[in-house]
Amino acid sequence: MSQDLTQNEKSFRRRKREEYDRVKAEVKRLEQSNFSRLILFRSGAEWFKMGGNSLLIYYFDIARKILSLKPNIQPDTDYSKTIFEDGILSFRGMEGIEERLRKAEVMESKKVGKQTVVFQLNFKISKEELKGLREELREERERALAVLRPASILYPEIYKNIRHIQKRLFEVVRKLSAFEREYNGDLMADYSRKIAKYYLMINNGMSPEKEGWAKILELIKHLMIEIMFASELGEIRHDVIVSVGAELVEVRRQIERISGAGRD
């Protein structure tokens, strides 16, 4: 009986997840032609999320311009095929955002569905304006990141390749199933993060070059083994494996050249 209950629970959770993925994909499709609405979709019993054009309109034209607020935009880290590249805003319940929209005097109507809530606004924004807001958001993030990035880069090409490898693997791993991530996806992400970390430690003088390069070369070997496993198990597309593998080989070659680690 308990086993049946467990299977029923698993089946229920799977159906809920499939429904969430379907709704999110549909909302992202609607966002492409959204110029005058805020579209929110349910992400839990009490929580809703907002992304796409809705996020840009709310963040810049309502929260910041009218209400002098600066909501916290989070990266979209859902383990699903649909990702909002600009990030997402989360809201607990509808009362708070509805109250803010009424205070800003921008809300025309509200439509509540089973999995979505749509606020029709009393103004419209153009494609060109949205393009400008998206660029402004990108520049805002770049300014914030500039404070954290090293002032000077010792080996720019190596740094560029390492960052690209880390980003590609991050995108790959977050789209894996829970079991695939547990099996070796999390390891791939961790190795790529540690490679970037040790490079920055060398760059910032926190680690001697000889020791740092040796550690990175060791991590590259471990990462390539995990990528091989992922390839053999069919977890990752072949073109992605070839691309990331080629970049890892190039980083290894560059490090061996400057450190002499590859010499007999």
Side-chain angles (χ1 to χ4, degrees):
M1 178 106 179
S2 61
Q3 176 123 12
D4 292 338
L5 183 61
T6 302
Q7 287 299 113
N8 288 337
E9 287 176 348
K10 288 181 179 178
S11 179
F12 174 75
R13 289 174 183 172
R14 184 175 64 252
R15 290 197 304 271
K16 292 287 286 184
R17 184 68 205 192
E18 288 171 353
E19 173 71 1
Y20 173 80
D21 290 344
R22 185 193 65 76
V23 171
K24 187 179 181 185
E26 176 62 14
V27 169
K28 186 171 183 180
R29 185 188 68 79
L30 292 172
E31 286 292 355
Q32 295 173 9
S33 57
N34 174 31
F35 307 104
S36 60
R37 294 175 295 169
L38 300 183
I39 306 172
L40 292 91
F41 57 98
R42 189 178 293 278
S43 63
E46 300 180 4
W47 290 89
F48 290 82
K49 289 181 180 179
M50 175 196 297
N53 291 353
S54 292
L55 179 145
L56 295 172
I57 295 169
Y58 177 75
Y59 182 75
F60 285 106
D61 280 13
I62 299 174
R64 291 185 62 172
K65 187 182 291 185
I66 301 176
L67 301 173
S68 299
L69 300 173
K70 191 174 181 180
N72 185 25
I73 299 176
Q74 296 289 336
D76 186 356
T77 55
D78 273 349
Y79 295 120
S80 66
K81 294 179 181 178
T82 304
I83 300 295
F84 286 102
E85 292 79 7
D86 297 320
I88 53 100
L89 286 171
S90 294
F91 302 88
R92 187 168 187 172
M94 284 292 99
E95 295 78 9
I97 185 172
E98 185 171 345
E99 183 180 334
R100 288 192 287 272
L101 295 179
R102 292 189 185 281
K103 182 179 179 182
E105 299 181 344
V106 296
M107 180 178 150
E108 191 170 277
S109 63
K110 178 179 73 170
K111 184 177 180 181
V112 180
K114 184 178 178 182
Q115 299 295 335
T116 60
V117 177
V118 179
F119 293 100
Q120 179 64 49
L121 304 173
N122 58 15
F123 67 92
K124 189 173 183 178
I125 192 166
S126 69
K127 284 185 179 180
E128 292 72 22
E129 288 174 306
L130 278 167
K131 184 178 179 181
L133 294 181
R134 190 162 273 115
E135 180 62 21
E136 186 176 342
L137 183 62
R138 188 192 67 79
E139 290 176 356
E140 190 175 282
R141 288 171 174 166
E142 284 298 311
R143 287 193 296 270
L145 287 173
V147 178
L148 301 174
R149 287 182 182 140
S152 60
I153 303 296
L154 290 176
Y155 302 98
E157 196 61 32
I158 293 178
Y159 182 51
K160 175 184 164 188
N161 287 337
I162 286 174
R163 285 184 64 199
H164 191 245
I165 290 166
Q166 185 183 23
K167 184 175 181 181
R168 287 296 298 277
L169 286 176
F170 173 78
E171 294 294 336
V172 164
V173 170
R174 73 176 179 176
K175 293 178 183 177
L176 298 178
S177 70
F179 178 76
E180 289 168 338
R181 288 195 303 276
E182 185 177 351
Y183 184 75
N184 73 331
D186 290 341
L187 276 174
M188 288 190 290
D190 189 49
Y191 286 139
S192 69
R193 184 186 66 82
K194 284 179 178 175
I195 288 170
K197 177 183 175 180
Y198 274 98
Y199 170 82
L200 289 174
M201 288 174 67
I202 294 170
N203 192 86
N204 297 339
M206 297 168 64
S207 171
E209 283 199 34
K210 184 176 180 180
E211 294 175 16
W213 293 135
K215 186 64 179 178
I216 289 175
L217 290 173
E218 179 186 346
L219 288 166
I220 286 174
K221 290 177 183 177
H222 285 292
L223 178 53
M224 291 181 81
I225 289 172
E226 295 300 331
I227 290 175
M228 181 188 71
F229 290 158
S231 172
E232 292 174 345
L233 295 170
E235 295 175 350
I236 305 176
R237 291 200 330 260
H238 181 71
D239 60 311
V240 174
I241 291 167
V242 170
S243 173
V244 173
E247 281 196 283
L248 280 169
V249 169
E250 177 60 19
V251 169
R252 183 179 66 189
R253 185 192 66 77
Q254 291 173 335
I255 291 174
E256 288 175 345
R257 178 175 56 79
I258 63 177
S259 68
R263 297 172 193 163
D264 296 328

